[in-house]
């Protein structure tokens, strides 16, 4: 028995790239990243798959557009708490690192799908410009500023990537493990302190410590004891 296609069809030329991106996001939310195929998405939108290829070259470009859309939502969120330009440079740098972490956490499994950064739009450029502006505000020369930018970026990326897998299980990592005080004296003594913790508080503390070290070269030695 032949299967009859009952999906409603759109008027030719009425489908916009924004609609495609929005529907792709909805499909991923419902069924996961692996469910996103051009054919399945076309069925949901009521169009021929070739119609999607007129808007996006391939699946990677579509995923890149979706990633850029999600990033842009985080970066231009009017309700996001960001320090004013007059705030201490340390606060600006910490806030930028936090925005990187939050943006990547918000992407979830989409991050693993990004194949080509060229398709991620202006959001990545805006994010990079904000980070460079923050480190340059600390008075760092260009070479040191780039190194500081990279240090903050990868620090934030590490927290974002590890958050789903590590933070959820951290309290149980040593559960039931017999520790030999002779072999691991520090671990045996401090194991009780390595249980549950607040990842946001840890990120704030470690980021501020990193920022303090990064801006130190820009501050002259005043000979204070």
């Amino acid at each position: 028995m032949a299967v009859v296609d009952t999906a409603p069809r759109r008027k030719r030329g009425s489908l916009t790239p924004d609609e495609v991106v929005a529907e792709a996001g909805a499909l991923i939310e419902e069924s996961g990243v692996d469910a996103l195929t051009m054919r399945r998405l076309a069925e949901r939108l009521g169009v021929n798959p070739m119609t999607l290829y007129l808007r996006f070259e391939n699946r990677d470009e579509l995923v890149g557009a979706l990633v850029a859309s999600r990033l842009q939502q985080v970066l231009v969120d009017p309700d996001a708490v960001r320090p004013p330009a007059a705030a201490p440079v340390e606060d600006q740098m910490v806030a930028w690192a936090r925005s990187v972490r939050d943006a990547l956490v918000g992407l979830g499994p989409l991050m693993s799908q990004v194949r080509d950064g060229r398709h991620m739009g202006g959001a990545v450029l805006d994010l990079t410009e904000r980070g460079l502006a923050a480190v340059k505000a600390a008075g760092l020369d260009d070479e040191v500023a780039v190194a500081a930018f990279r240090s903050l970026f990868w620090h934030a990326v590490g927290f974002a990537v590890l958050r789903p897998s590590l933070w959820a299980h951290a309290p149980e990592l040593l559960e039931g493990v017999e520790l030999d005080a002779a072999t691991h004296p520090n671990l045996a003594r401090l194991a009780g302190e390595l249980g549950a913790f607040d990842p946001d508080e840890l990120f704030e503390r470690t980021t501020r410590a990193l920022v303090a070290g990064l801006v130190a070269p820009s501050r002259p030695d005043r000979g204070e004891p």
Side-chain angles (χ1 to χ4, degrees):
M1 180 178 178
V3 177
V4 178
D5 184 3
T6 58
R9 292 291 164 178
R10 285 175 168 267
K11 181 180 178 181
R12 184 183 297 273
S14 65
L15 184 65
T16 68
D18 287 345
E19 288 180 286
V20 177
V21 169
E23 193 63 34
L27 175 56
I28 288 175
E29 292 293 332
E30 294 172 13
S31 305
V33 175
D34 291 340
L36 178 61
T37 66
M38 300 298 262
R39 180 173 296 279
R40 187 169 183 181
L41 183 59
E43 291 174 355
R44 288 171 63 103
L45 289 166
V47 299
N48 186 291
M50 290 306 300
T51 301
L52 299 185
Y53 288 106
L54 295 175
R55 276 98 180 142
F56 297 96
E57 181 179 348
N58 50 41
R59 182 182 182 276
D60 285 349
E61 184 176 359
L62 172 58
V63 170
L66 180 55
V67 169
S69 175
R70 295 284 178 88
L71 287 176
Q72 199 65 39
Q73 289 173 18
V74 174
L75 298 179
V76 302
D77 181 1
D79 297 324
V81 178
R82 299 194 185 113
V89 292
E90 291 89 343
D91 290 348
Q92 296 180 45
M93 293 169 70
V94 171
W96 179 78
R98 192 186 305 117
S99 71
V100 172
R101 182 203 62 176
D102 292 347
L104 296 180
V105 168
L107 290 178
L110 271 175
M111 200 64 232
S112 66
Q113 295 290 301
V114 176
R115 304 284 193 274
D116 191 340
R118 293 178 304 168
H119 298 318
M120 294 176 67
V124 172
L125 299 181
D126 293 343
L127 184 67
T128 302
E129 176 61 29
R130 279 178 45 196
L132 291 172
V135 295
K136 285 298 293 180
L140 305 176
D141 63 37
D142 290 348
E143 183 177 356
V144 177
V146 169
F149 168 85
R150 287 175 175 158
S151 298
L152 279 175
F153 177 79
W154 289 110
H155 175 72
V157 169
F159 266 78
V161 171
L162 289 174
R163 185 185 183 105
S165 59
L166 179 60
W167 299 160
H169 305 292
E172 292 82 35
L173 289 178
L174 297 175
E175 189 174 313
V177 177
E178 293 186 9
L179 297 173
D180 183 352
T183 306
H184 303 106
N186 291 298
L187 181 56
R189 182 169 59 86
L190 299 173
E193 304 298 324
L194 296 176
F197 63 94
D198 182 345
D200 290 327
E201 188 277 333
L202 179 64
F203 179 79
E204 191 75 15
R205 179 155 48 86
T206 56
T207 305
R208 288 196 175 277
L210 176 59
V211 166
L214 292 172
V215 302
S218 68
R219 293 177 173 165
D221 184 3
R222 298 177 181 176
E224 297 177 356

Short mmCIF file of all heavy atoms in Angstrom, two decimals, residues 51-98:
data_model
loop_
_atom_site.label_atom_id
_atom_site.label_comp_id
_atom_site.label_asym_id
_atom_site.label_seq_id
_atom_site.Cartn_x
_atom_site.Cartn_y
_atom_site.Cartn_z
N THR A 51 14.16 22.56 -1.40
CA THR A 51 13.84 23.93 -1.01
C THR A 51 14.77 24.40 0.10
O THR A 51 15.19 25.57 0.14
CB THR A 51 12.37 24.03 -0.54
OG1 THR A 51 11.52 23.62 -1.60
CG2 THR A 51 12.02 25.45 -0.14
N LEU A 52 15.12 23.49 1.01
CA LEU A 52 16.02 23.85 2.10
C LEU A 52 17.42 24.14 1.57
O LEU A 52 18.12 25.03 2.07
CB LEU A 52 16.08 22.71 3.13
CG LEU A 52 14.77 22.34 3.81
CD1 LEU A 52 15.01 21.29 4.88
CD2 LEU A 52 14.09 23.57 4.42
N TYR A 53 17.82 23.40 0.55
CA TYR A 53 19.17 23.61 -0.01
C TYR A 53 19.27 24.93 -0.77
O TYR A 53 20.38 25.38 -1.06
CB TYR A 53 19.53 22.44 -0.92
CG TYR A 53 19.83 21.17 -0.14
CD1 TYR A 53 18.91 20.12 -0.12
CD2 TYR A 53 21.01 21.03 0.58
CE1 TYR A 53 19.17 18.96 0.59
CE2 TYR A 53 21.27 19.88 1.30
CZ TYR A 53 20.35 18.84 1.30
OH TYR A 53 20.62 17.70 2.02
N LEU A 54 18.14 25.54 -1.07
CA LEU A 54 18.17 26.86 -1.66
C LEU A 54 18.47 27.93 -0.60
O LEU A 54 18.90 29.03 -0.94
CB LEU A 54 16.84 27.18 -2.34
CG LEU A 54 16.47 26.32 -3.55
CD1 LEU A 54 15.08 26.67 -4.05
CD2 LEU A 54 17.50 26.51 -4.67
N ARG A 55 18.22 27.58 0.67
CA ARG A 55 18.47 28.52 1.78
C ARG A 55 19.79 28.22 2.49
O ARG A 55 20.46 29.13 2.98
CB ARG A 55 17.34 28.47 2.80
CG ARG A 55 16.14 29.35 2.43
CD ARG A 55 15.08 28.52 1.79
NE ARG A 55 13.92 29.33 1.42
CZ ARG A 55 13.22 29.13 0.31
NH1 ARG A 55 13.60 28.20 -0.56
NH2 ARG A 55 12.17 29.88 0.04
N PHE A 56 20.13 26.93 2.57
CA PHE A 56 21.35 26.51 3.24
C PHE A 56 22.07 25.47 2.37
O PHE A 56 21.44 24.54 1.87
CB PHE A 56 21.04 25.91 4.62
CG PHE A 56 20.40 26.90 5.56
CD1 PHE A 56 19.01 26.95 5.69
CD2 PHE A 56 21.17 27.79 6.28
CE1 PHE A 56 18.42 27.86 6.54
CE2 PHE A 56 20.59 28.71 7.13
CZ PHE A 56 19.21 28.76 7.26
N GLU A 57 23.37 25.64 2.25
CA GLU A 57 24.15 24.78 1.36
C GLU A 57 24.08 23.32 1.78
O GLU A 57 24.01 22.42 0.94
CB GLU A 57 25.60 25.26 1.33
CG GLU A 57 26.50 24.45 0.42
CD GLU A 57 27.93 24.99 0.42
OE1 GLU A 57 28.14 26.11 0.93
OE2 GLU A 57 28.81 24.29 -0.09
N ASN A 58 24.12 23.09 3.10
CA ASN A 58 24.08 21.72 3.63
C ASN A 58 23.68 21.75 5.10
O ASN A 58 23.42 22.82 5.66
CB ASN A 58 25.45 21.04 3.45
CG ASN A 58 26.59 21.90 3.98
OD1 ASN A 58 26.48 22.53 5.04
ND2 ASN A 58 27.68 21.96 3.23
N ARG A 59 23.65 20.59 5.72
CA ARG A 59 23.25 20.50 7.12
C ARG A 59 24.19 21.27 8.03
O ARG A 59 23.77 21.91 8.99
CB ARG A 59 23.20 19.03 7.54
CG ARG A 59 22.74 18.79 8.99
CD ARG A 59 22.79 17.30 9.31
NE ARG A 59 22.32 17.01 10.65
CZ ARG A 59 23.08 17.08 11.74
NH1 ARG A 59 24.35 17.48 11.63
NH2 ARG A 59 22.57 16.78 12.93
N ASP A 60 25.49 21.22 7.75
CA ASP A 60 26.46 21.92 8.58
C ASP A 60 26.19 23.43 8.59
O ASP A 60 26.31 24.09 9.63
CB ASP A 60 27.88 21.67 8.09
CG ASP A 60 28.38 20.28 8.48
OD1 ASP A 60 27.71 19.61 9.28
OD2 ASP A 60 29.44 19.87 7.97
N GLU A 61 25.87 23.97 7.43
CA GLU A 61 25.59 25.40 7.36
C GLU A 61 24.33 25.73 8.16
O GLU A 61 24.26 26.76 8.84
CB GLU A 61 25.43 25.87 5.93
CG GLU A 61 25.23 27.37 5.81
CD GLU A 61 25.17 27.86 4.39
OE1 GLU A 61 25.31 27.04 3.46
OE2 GLU A 61 24.99 29.08 4.20
N LEU A 62 23.33 24.86 8.09
CA LEU A 62 22.10 25.06 8.86
C LEU A 62 22.39 25.00 10.35
O LEU A 62 21.92 25.86 11.12
CB LEU A 62 21.07 23.99 8.49
CG LEU A 62 19.80 23.95 9.35
CD1 LEU A 62 19.08 25.28 9.32
CD2 LEU A 62 18.88 22.83 8.86
N VAL A 63 23.18 24.02 10.79
CA VAL A 63 23.54 23.92 12.20
C VAL A 63 24.33 25.15 12.63
O VAL A 63 24.11 25.69 13.73
CB VAL A 63 24.35 22.63 12.47
CG1 VAL A 63 24.93 22.66 13.88
CG2 VAL A 63 23.47 21.40 12.30
N GLY A 64 25.23 25.62 11.78
CA GLY A 64 25.98 26.83 12.10
C GLY A 64 25.07 28.02 12.28
O GLY A 64 25.28 28.84 13.19
N ALA A 65 24.05 28.14 11.45
CA ALA A 65 23.10 29.25 11.58
C ALA A 65 22.32 29.13 12.88
O ALA A 65 22.03 30.14 13.54
CB ALA A 65 22.14 29.26 10.40
N LEU A 66 21.98 27.90 13.26
CA LEU A 66 21.26 27.70 14.52
C LEU A 66 22.14 28.03 15.72
O LEU A 66 21.70 28.68 16.68
CB LEU A 66 20.78 26.24 14.60
CG LEU A 66 20.00 25.84 15.86
CD1 LEU A 66 18.80 26.75 16.09
CD2 LEU A 66 19.55 24.38 15.75
N VAL A 67 23.40 27.63 15.65
CA VAL A 67 24.36 27.96 16.70
C VAL A 67 24.51 29.47 16.83
O VAL A 67 24.48 30.04 17.93
CB VAL A 67 25.72 27.31 16.42
CG1 VAL A 67 26.80 27.86 17.36
CG2 VAL A 67 25.64 25.80 16.58
N ALA A 68 24.67 30.15 15.69
CA ALA A 68 24.82 31.61 15.70
C ALA A 68 23.60 32.28 16.30
O ALA A 68 23.71 33.24 17.06
CB ALA A 68 25.05 32.11 14.27
N SER A 69 22.41 31.75 15.98
CA SER A 69 21.18 32.31 16.52
C SER A 69 21.13 32.17 18.04
O SER A 69 20.77 33.11 18.76
CB SER A 69 19.97 31.61 15.89
OG SER A 69 18.76 32.05 16.47
N ARG A 70 21.52 30.99 18.53
CA ARG A 70 21.52 30.76 19.98
C ARG A 70 22.55 31.64 20.68
O ARG A 70 22.29 32.20 21.75
CB ARG A 70 21.80 29.29 20.27
CG ARG A 70 20.72 28.32 19.77
CD ARG A 70 19.49 28.33 20.66
NE ARG A 70 18.46 27.45 20.15
CZ ARG A 70 18.36 26.16 20.43
NH1 ARG A 70 19.25 25.58 21.21
NH2 ARG A 70 17.35 25.45 19.95
N LEU A 71 23.73 31.76 20.08
CA LEU A 71 24.76 32.61 20.66
C LEU A 71 24.31 34.07 20.72
O LEU A 71 24.51 34.76 21.70
CB LEU A 71 26.05 32.51 19.85
CG LEU A 71 26.87 31.22 19.98
CD1 LEU A 71 28.06 31.27 19.04
CD2 LEU A 71 27.34 31.01 21.42
N GLN A 72 23.70 34.52 19.62
CA GLN A 72 23.27 35.91 19.56
C GLN A 72 22.23 36.21 20.62
O GLN A 72 22.22 37.29 21.21
CB GLN A 72 22.71 36.21 18.17
CG GLN A 72 22.67 37.69 17.83
CD GLN A 72 24.05 38.31 17.75
OE1 GLN A 72 24.98 37.70 17.24
NE2 GLN A 72 24.21 39.52 18.26
N GLN A 73 21.35 35.26 20.91
CA GLN A 73 20.33 35.45 21.94
C GLN A 73 20.98 35.69 23.29
O GLN A 73 20.51 36.51 24.09
CB GLN A 73 19.42 34.23 22.00
CG GLN A 73 18.49 34.08 20.81
CD GLN A 73 17.72 32.77 20.84
OE1 GLN A 73 17.62 32.12 21.87
NE2 GLN A 73 17.18 32.38 19.70
N VAL A 74 22.07 34.97 23.57
CA VAL A 74 22.77 35.15 24.85
C VAL A 74 23.52 36.47 24.88
O VAL A 74 23.47 37.22 25.86
CB VAL A 74 23.76 33.99 25.09
CG1 VAL A 74 24.60 34.25 26.33
CG2 VAL A 74 23.00 32.68 25.22
N LEU A 75 24.17 36.81 23.77
CA LEU A 75 25.06 37.97 23.76
C LEU A 75 24.32 39.29 23.75
O LEU A 75 24.84 40.30 24.21
CB LEU A 75 25.98 37.89 22.54
CG LEU A 75 26.92 36.68 22.51
CD1 LEU A 75 27.76 36.70 21.26
CD2 LEU A 75 27.80 36.66 23.74
N VAL A 76 23.11 39.33 23.21
CA VAL A 76 22.39 40.60 23.13
C VAL A 76 21.18 40.62 24.06
O VAL A 76 20.34 41.50 23.97
CB VAL A 76 21.91 40.89 21.69
CG1 VAL A 76 23.10 40.92 20.75
CG2 VAL A 76 20.88 39.87 21.22
N ASP A 77 21.10 39.64 24.96
CA ASP A 77 19.98 39.58 25.89
C ASP A 77 19.91 40.86 26.71
O ASP A 77 20.82 41.15 27.48
CB ASP A 77 20.15 38.37 26.82
CG ASP A 77 19.00 38.22 27.81
OD1 ASP A 77 18.06 39.04 27.75
OD2 ASP A 77 19.05 37.29 28.63
N PRO A 78 18.84 41.66 26.57
CA PRO A 78 18.78 42.93 27.30
C PRO A 78 18.68 42.75 28.82
O PRO A 78 18.96 43.66 29.57
CB PRO A 78 17.49 43.59 26.75
CG PRO A 78 16.67 42.44 26.26
CD PRO A 78 17.65 41.43 25.74
N ASP A 79 18.31 41.54 29.24
CA ASP A 79 18.18 41.29 30.68
C ASP A 79 19.46 40.74 31.28
O ASP A 79 19.54 40.50 32.48
CB ASP A 79 17.03 40.30 30.94
CG ASP A 79 15.68 40.86 30.50
OD1 ASP A 79 15.50 42.09 30.65
OD2 ASP A 79 14.85 40.10 30.01
N ALA A 80 20.46 40.48 30.43
CA ALA A 80 21.72 39.93 30.94
C ALA A 80 22.42 40.97 31.82
O ALA A 80 22.43 42.15 31.52
CB ALA A 80 22.64 39.53 29.79
N VAL A 81 22.98 40.49 32.93
CA VAL A 81 23.66 41.39 33.85
C VAL A 81 25.11 41.52 33.42
O VAL A 81 25.88 40.57 33.45
CB VAL A 81 23.60 40.85 35.29
CG1 VAL A 81 24.35 41.77 36.23
CG2 VAL A 81 22.14 40.70 35.73
N ARG A 82 25.46 42.72 33.00
CA ARG A 82 26.84 42.98 32.60
C ARG A 82 27.31 44.27 33.28
O ARG A 82 26.54 45.22 33.40
CB ARG A 82 26.95 43.14 31.08
CG ARG A 82 26.52 41.91 30.30
CD ARG A 82 26.97 42.02 28.84
NE ARG A 82 26.45 40.90 28.08
CZ ARG A 82 25.53 41.02 27.13
NH1 ARG A 82 25.05 42.20 26.82
NH2 ARG A 82 25.10 39.96 26.47
N PRO A 83 28.55 44.33 33.68
CA PRO A 83 29.04 45.55 34.32
C PRO A 83 29.13 46.67 33.31
O PRO A 83 29.37 46.44 32.12
CB PRO A 83 30.43 45.14 34.83
CG PRO A 83 30.85 44.04 33.90
CD PRO A 83 29.58 43.30 33.56
N PRO A 84 28.94 47.92 33.73
CA PRO A 84 29.08 49.05 32.80
C PRO A 84 30.53 49.20 32.36
O PRO A 84 31.45 48.63 32.96
CB PRO A 84 28.63 50.24 33.66
CG PRO A 84 28.89 49.81 35.07
CD PRO A 84 28.62 48.34 35.10
N ALA A 85 30.73 49.98 31.30
CA ALA A 85 32.07 50.18 30.77
C ALA A 85 33.01 50.79 31.81
O ALA A 85 34.22 50.60 31.74
CB ALA A 85 32.01 51.05 29.53
N ALA A 86 32.43 51.52 32.76
CA ALA A 86 33.25 52.17 33.78
C ALA A 86 33.62 51.22 34.92
O ALA A 86 34.36 51.60 35.82
CB ALA A 86 32.50 53.38 34.35
N ALA A 87 33.10 50.01 34.90
CA ALA A 87 33.39 49.04 35.96
C ALA A 87 34.86 48.64 35.92
O ALA A 87 35.52 48.79 34.89
CB ALA A 87 32.50 47.81 35.80
N PRO A 88 35.40 48.16 37.03
CA PRO A 88 36.80 47.71 37.03
C PRO A 88 37.04 46.70 35.91
O PRO A 88 36.17 45.88 35.60
CB PRO A 88 36.95 47.06 38.42
CG PRO A 88 35.93 47.75 39.26
CD PRO A 88 34.76 48.01 38.34
N VAL A 89 38.23 46.76 35.31
CA VAL A 89 38.52 45.87 34.19
C VAL A 89 38.42 44.41 34.60
O VAL A 89 38.05 43.56 33.79
CB VAL A 89 39.92 46.17 33.59
CG1 VAL A 89 39.93 47.53 32.93
CG2 VAL A 89 41.00 46.07 34.65
N GLU A 90 38.75 44.11 35.85
CA GLU A 90 38.65 42.73 36.31
C GLU A 90 37.21 42.23 36.19
O GLU A 90 36.97 41.09 35.76
CB GLU A 90 39.12 42.60 37.76
CG GLU A 90 40.61 42.80 37.95
CD GLU A 90 40.97 44.26 38.20
OE1 GLU A 90 40.12 45.15 37.91
OE2 GLU A 90 42.08 44.52 38.67
N ASP A 91 36.25 43.09 36.57
CA ASP A 91 34.83 42.70 36.48
C ASP A 91 34.42 42.50 35.03
O ASP A 91 33.63 41.60 34.72
CB ASP A 91 33.94 43.76 37.13
CG ASP A 91 34.08 43.81 38.64
OD1 ASP A 91 34.69 42.87 39.20
OD2 ASP A 91 33.58 44.76 39.26
N GLN A 92 34.92 43.34 34.15
CA GLN A 92 34.59 43.20 32.72
C GLN A 92 35.12 41.89 32.16
O GLN A 92 34.45 41.21 31.38
CB GLN A 92 35.15 44.39 31.94
CG GLN A 92 34.54 45.73 32.32
CD GLN A 92 35.12 46.88 31.51
OE1 GLN A 92 35.26 46.75 30.30
NE2 GLN A 92 35.47 47.97 32.15
N MET A 93 36.34 41.52 32.55
CA MET A 93 36.94 40.29 32.05
C MET A 93 36.22 39.06 32.59
O MET A 93 35.96 38.09 31.86
CB MET A 93 38.42 40.26 32.40
CG MET A 93 39.24 41.33 31.68
SD MET A 93 40.93 41.54 32.31
CE MET A 93 41.70 40.01 31.76
N VAL A 94 35.87 39.10 33.86
CA VAL A 94 35.12 37.98 34.46
C VAL A 94 33.76 37.85 33.81
O VAL A 94 33.29 36.75 33.50
CB VAL A 94 34.99 38.17 35.99
CG1 VAL A 94 34.02 37.14 36.57
CG2 VAL A 94 36.34 38.05 36.67
N ALA A 95 33.10 38.99 33.59
CA ALA A 95 31.77 38.97 32.96
C ALA A 95 31.84 38.39 31.55
O ALA A 95 30.95 37.64 31.13
CB ALA A 95 31.18 40.37 32.93
N TRP A 96 32.90 38.73 30.82
CA TRP A 96 33.04 38.18 29.47
C TRP A 96 33.24 36.67 29.51
O TRP A 96 32.60 35.93 28.76
CB TRP A 96 34.21 38.83 28.74
CG TRP A 96 34.38 38.26 27.37
CD1 TRP A 96 33.65 38.54 26.26
CD2 TRP A 96 35.32 37.25 26.98
NE1 TRP A 96 34.08 37.79 25.19
CE2 TRP A 96 35.10 36.99 25.60
CE3 TRP A 96 36.33 36.55 27.64
CZ2 TRP A 96 35.85 36.06 24.89
CZ3 TRP A 96 37.09 35.63 26.93
CH2 TRP A 96 36.84 35.39 25.58
N ALA A 97 34.11 36.21 30.40
CA ALA A 97 34.34 34.76 30.51
C ALA A 97 33.04 34.05 30.90
O ALA A 97 32.73 32.97 30.39
CB ALA A 97 35.42 34.48 31.55
N ARG A 98 32.26 34.67 31.77
CA ARG A 98 30.99 34.09 32.17
C ARG A 98 30.03 34.00 30.99
O ARG A 98 29.29 33.02 30.84
CB ARG A 98 30.36 34.91 33.31
CG ARG A 98 29.18 34.23 33.99
CD ARG A 98 28.52 35.15 35.01
NE ARG A 98 29.47 35.65 36.00
CZ ARG A 98 29.78 36.93 36.16
NH1 ARG A 98 29.24 37.86 35.37
NH2 ARG A 98 30.64 37.29 37.09
#
